[in-house]
Amino acid sequence: MSTVTIAAQKRAILGKKVKQLRKQGLLPATVYGKGFEPASVQLEERAFNQTYRKVGKTTLIDLMIDGVLASVFVQEVQRHPVTRSILHIDFKIVDLKQAVYVEVPIIAIGESPLVARGDAMVNHVINTVMVEALPAELPQHIEVDVSVLTGFDKSITVADLAISGTYKVLTDPEQVLLSLTQMRITATEEEEAEAEAAATEAAEAAEAAEASEDKE
C-alpha cells in the first residue's frame, strides 16, 4: 500500500487562539498514540484537503513534524456544523508491525443489466466492512462488481468479496452488502394489475346492482 507525506510543525498557539491559524490557511491538529506523548501541530489547510479527499481515513500518512517522521492515520476530522470547513484534526500514530482494525469503504464497480435497463437501482445495505491488517497493507477501499446482480433474487455478501492475502475481513460473511431495488413494474405486471383492478371494479358493480334489486 502506498503512503502520502504531509509536512507539519509543532505549534505554540492553543485553545481559542487557533482561529489565528485558520486565518493564515493553517489547521490545528493533535498527534497521539501508544508510547507517544501527544503533540500539538499545525499544517497547511490546502495540502491536507487535497490529500484527505484522495485517501480518507484508510491510507497511511507519513507526517513530517519539523523533519521527524511519524506514521499516522487520520483518526478524526472536526468540522464546522454550518460551513463544514475543517476545524481540527486528530492523527493517531501506529506501530507498523502491529495489526490495526479499520472500517474500509465498499466501492461498487460495473453495472447490473437491470440497472442499465432502468428496472432497478443498487441498494447499498452497508457501506463499509471491518478489516484487520498491518497499517502499510490496509486497503483504501474494496471494489465489488455489481454486474453479477442479474436478478432481484441476487445479492452480494461479504463472502463474495475478492480478498487479498494481505488483510482479513472480520465482518460476518453472510452479511449482505449490495442488492437490487425494483424501480418500476414490468409490462406483464402492469397488465396483471390492470386486469385485477378491472375484475375488482366489476365485482363491486355487481354487488351494488344486487343490493339495489334487493331494496326494490
Side-chain angles (χ1 to χ4, degrees):
M1 175 182 171
S2 60
T3 59
V4 295
T5 302
I6 299 179
Q9 303 80 38
K10 289 186 178 179
R11 62 182 167 94
I13 298 178
L14 305 172
K16 294 182 179 180
K17 293 182 180 180
V18 294
K19 292 181 179 180
Q20 301 173 23
L21 295 177
R22 300 189 191 102
K23 291 179 180 179
Q24 300 172 38
L26 298 172
L27 290 174
T30 301
V31 185
Y32 62 91
K34 186 176 180 180
F36 181 85
E37 180 149 356
S40 297
V41 302
Q42 63 191 40
L43 60 157
E44 290 186 4
E45 180 178 13
R46 182 177 179 182
F48 176 79
N49 283 337
Q50 290 177 341
T51 299
Y52 188 61
R53 278 195 294 266
K54 295 177 182 177
V55 305
K57 294 184 177 181
T58 57
T59 294
L60 193 64
I61 295 174
D62 287 337
L63 192 65
M64 297 293 293
I65 307 173
D66 293 329
V68 178
L69 176 65
S71 297
V72 303
F73 282 118
V74 175
Q75 183 71 12
E76 184 178 0
V77 175
Q78 298 176 18
R79 295 182 180 273
H80 189 281
V82 178
T83 66
R84 304 305 297 162
S85 59
I86 297 176
L87 300 177
H88 186 274
I89 309 157
D90 285 348
F91 292 106
K92 185 176 182 180
I93 290 183
V94 295
D95 182 345
L96 298 180
K97 296 181 180 179
Q98 184 173 350
V100 293
Y101 304 87
V102 177
E103 292 279 356
V104 174
I106 295 296
I107 304 295
I109 61 171
E111 187 175 34
S112 162
L114 275 71
V115 173
R117 291 202 304 264
D119 294 333
M121 64 180 293
V122 176
N123 177 35
H124 292 255
V125 180
I126 60 172
N127 296 314
T128 63
V129 291
M130 180 62 72
V131 168
E132 175 187 0
L134 292 175
E137 296 177 345
L138 189 70
Q140 185 175 344
H141 61 263
I142 300 176
E143 294 183 345
V144 182
D145 186 359
V146 297
S147 63
V148 299
L149 297 176
T150 56
F152 291 104
D153 60 331
K154 305 283 187 179
S155 63
I156 299 174
T157 67
V158 172
D160 297 320
L161 293 176
I163 303 301
S164 165
T166 59
Y167 61 87
K168 182 187 298 183
V169 175
L170 304 180
T171 304
D172 183 356
E174 296 183 2
Q175 170 66 55
V176 174
L177 299 172
L178 301 153
S179 61
L180 294 178
T181 298
Q182 193 169 13
M183 290 288 290
R184 65 187 184 193
I185 61 176
T186 64
T188 300
E189 289 174 326
E190 286 180 353
E191 292 171 359
E192 291 177 352
E194 289 175 359
E196 184 177 349
T200 301
E201 185 177 345
E204 290 176 349
E207 289 178 1
E210 184 177 346
S212 177
E213 291 176 359
D214 292 340
K215 287 181 180 180
E216 295 176 355

